[in-house]
Amino acid sequence: MIEISDLQKIGIGLAGFGVFFLFLGMLLLFDKGLLAIGNILFISGLACVIGVERTLRFFFQRHKVKGTTAFFGGIVIVLLGFPIIGMIIESYGFFALFSGFFPVAINFLGRVPVLGSLFNLPIMQKIVQKLGGDGNRTTV
C-alpha cells in the first residue's frame, strides 16, 4: 500500500474543503467570498499533496498555457467581484488542465460497484465513452 505523509493528508483535507467551499459558493448564488476561499484551499491542497515544485511544473507547462491562463484568470475575475463570469472562465481552464485525468478517473469510477452499474445505463454510456475514451485500452 502507498504510504501517505502527514503533509499529504493535510493537503487532501485542504483540497477537499476547497471543493466543498467552491460547491457551497455556487450553491449560494455564486458568493464570491466562498468561491475565493475554495480556490485558495484547492490550490494550496494540491501543492501539499504533490509538492510545490511539481505543482508549479504542472501549471506552467508549455502545452497547458491556455488552461493555466484561463484557470488563474478566472480566479482573479472572481476576486474582482464578477463570480459568474470568473467561474465560467475558471471551469474552462480546469477542464483544459485536468482533461488528461478524466479517462483514468472515469475508468476507475466504472469499476466501483454502484457507480459502475450507473455508468452502464444506455443514457450514460455515450457520455462515459466520450469522457473516458477507449475502455479497452490498457493503461500502464
Side-chain angles (χ1 to χ4, degrees):
M1 194 164 125
I2 299 174
E3 183 120 358
I4 298 175
S5 70
D6 288 339
L7 184 64
Q8 289 175 325
K9 291 177 187 176
I10 292 170
I12 291 169
L14 287 173
F17 276 117
V19 170
F20 173 73
F21 277 109
L22 283 170
F23 176 72
L24 192 62
M26 287 188 285
L27 191 66
L28 296 174
L29 301 175
F30 292 94
D31 181 54
K32 68 179 179 179
L34 290 173
L35 293 174
I37 291 171
N39 284 323
I40 292 168
L41 287 174
F42 179 74
I43 293 172
S44 61
L46 185 65
C48 287
V49 170
I50 65 173
V52 176
E53 181 184 344
R54 289 179 67 189
T55 302
L56 291 175
R57 273 193 282 154
F58 173 77
F59 279 112
F60 297 108
Q61 293 175 7
R62 182 171 292 258
H63 64 280
K64 294 184 178 183
V65 171
K66 194 187 303 185
T68 301
T69 305
F71 185 73
F72 286 114
I75 292 173
V76 169
I77 291 172
V78 167
L79 293 175
L80 290 176
F82 302 100
I84 296 175
I85 297 169
M87 285 304 293
I88 292 170
I89 295 171
E90 187 179 338
S91 297
Y92 169 75
F94 180 83
F95 286 118
L97 284 171
F98 295 101
S99 63
F101 297 119
F102 289 154
V104 175
I106 293 293
N107 288 332
F108 171 76
L109 290 175
R111 291 185 173 95
V112 174
V114 175
L115 292 176
S117 62
L118 288 176
F119 284 172
N120 286 331
L121 292 174
I123 298 170
M124 293 292 292
Q125 280 185 341
K126 289 182 182 181
I127 298 170
V128 169
Q129 287 175 353
K130 189 170 188 172
L131 289 176
D134 186 14
N136 297 325
R137 183 177 54 177
T138 305
T139 55
V140 178

